[in-house]
Amino acid sequence: MRGDAIAAAFAVEIRERYGDVARDRWPVSVDPRPDELLSSWINRLALANGIAPRSFSGVLGCGDGMWSPRLDLQLPGHIAAFLGDRSGVPQDAISAMALTGWALTPLLLPRRENTRRQRSTWMQYCPQCFAQDETPYFRRQWRLASRISCFVHGCGLRDRCPACRSGIVSYDQGQLVPQHFCARCGFDLRGAPKATVKAAVRRLEHVIADIFTVESAKRLAEASDVILRVQRAPAAADIGSARTLANLSTTARIRCFGELAAKPLDWLVTDKDAAVAHRRWMIAAAGGHDRFIACFANFLDKHQARPRSTCPTRPSAELADLLAAYIWGENKNFSRRHA
Ligand SMILES: [Zn+2]
Ligand SMILES: [Zn+2]
């Protein structure tokens, strides 16, 4: 009787529940940052909870090699659910950080661990973004071959550690060290030298990004056409490389865009559909200014305007004035409506 009483006294339910809670939730919760890539958030989550990323692969049952970049491309449902349960971050927010189903997937830099000269690595970064981040993290946009500069700081992106020339291998970090330190040599990537990209080259990059934004929001067929054109940019630039854009290092892509910035934009904007070509010219003429593009996408939708000629017309000097006049008119209408 006495033994049973002791057993009953030790069967304290509160203690069991406490154990379950500690097992189910990791102690430190980490919120995703704007445009953060899934593998970056996983690294931060692991480190915040005292586990090095390489060991964290075992916690998720993901195996060796580029385990978290694999999750970026394909996040199994059971891992998304497990991460959601343990981190307290909603599962849809976790899935949204993966790259699955992204219209620009064909332009992702290939997953590749070796870093042979002139060849792409799988990830880029901006040293200045890292320097300003409260907790440095990798952006989804940095995975795209069509991105060569930081839209915030205007400097060139980097795809290697300047000290040891390794690519980014934060998934293989065996120490409790934040991901802005090179996992091979420990160099602080915030201190990487600034890469300069000329204004005309950055302007071309913005135009391409804006054409993607407009076309991927509308018709997929057009988006895939322009994606194909950008993939073939090295041939259009005539830089003596048979590789597609995604196979070139960031330095080689900056050079490629530099050649293209000095050429007419036919390689990018011509299309058998004159209306599509016309819209691309307009975006190019607007210089990738978001506001101009938003107004004109809206204008074209409202008026279904199509040029009479079947040949795409080039933007004239007057086009910028025309755009400005249209926006001025729209602003006036808006003011009247809201007076
Ligand atoms: Zn930046
Ligand atoms: Zn290094």
Side-chain angles (χ1 to χ4, degrees), residues 76-293:
H78 71 277
I79 294 184
F82 180 76
L83 283 167
D85 285 347
R86 300 299 161 110
S87 69
V89 172
Q91 200 178 316
D92 55 352
I94 294 171
S95 300
M97 286 186 280
L99 301 169
T100 325
W102 200 13
L104 300 181
T105 301
L107 281 169
L108 290 176
L109 294 163
R111 269 189 303 120
R112 146 180 321 142
E113 277 190 283
N114 64 50
T115 50
R116 269 184 287 160
R117 204 165 157 267
Q118 298 288 316
R119 291 282 293 261
S120 54
T121 70
W122 76 285
M123 175 57 85
Q124 308 176 98
Y125 65 95
C126 167
Q128 294 189 61
C129 280
F130 278 169
Q132 285 185 354
D133 286 343
E134 197 177 317
T135 312
Y137 68 97
F138 290 90
R139 277 74 166 164
R140 290 156 52 91
Q141 298 289 328
W142 293 347
R143 287 281 284 111
L144 291 172
S146 54
R147 294 299 295 269
I148 53 168
S149 76
C150 172
F151 282 7
V152 177
H153 299 104
C155 57
L157 297 179
R158 295 194 151 270
D159 61 356
R160 285 160 166 80
C161 165
C164 72
R165 309 303 299 161
S166 160
I168 301 298
V169 291
S170 38
Y171 50 83
D172 196 35
Q173 174 61 266
Q175 312 287 321
L176 292 177
V177 174
Q179 55 187 344
H180 59 283
F181 290 95
C182 173
R184 290 284 177 258
C185 76
F187 182 83
D188 184 343
L189 299 173
R190 293 174 299 186
K194 186 178 175 183
T196 305
V197 180
K198 288 181 184 162
V201 179
R202 282 188 278 124
R203 186 175 181 277
L204 171 64
E205 185 190 7
H206 276 268
V207 166
I208 291 170
D210 286 338
I211 290 176
F212 286 157
T213 304
V214 171
E215 298 195 354
S216 60
K218 290 176 175 291
R219 300 170 201 90
L220 269 177
E222 288 168 24
S224 56
D225 167 72
V226 81
I227 286 168
L228 204 62
R229 285 165 182 274
V230 173
Q231 276 178 322
R232 292 178 186 150
D238 204 13
I239 54 169
S241 173
R243 292 176 187 152
T244 59
L245 191 71
N247 277 304
L248 298 180
S249 69
T250 306
T251 307
R253 279 182 285 116
I254 290 173
R255 198 166 62 245
C256 175
F257 276 36
E259 292 293 328
L260 290 169
K263 291 175 185 248
L265 281 173
D266 302 69
W267 69 274
L268 178 67
V269 299
T270 49
D271 193 272
K272 58 183 181 297
D273 184 335
V276 173
H278 203 68
R279 189 176 59 224
R280 289 180 189 164
W281 274 121
M282 285 176 168
I283 293 171
H289 193 297
D290 293 345
R291 180 152 167 66
F292 274 51
I293 288 156

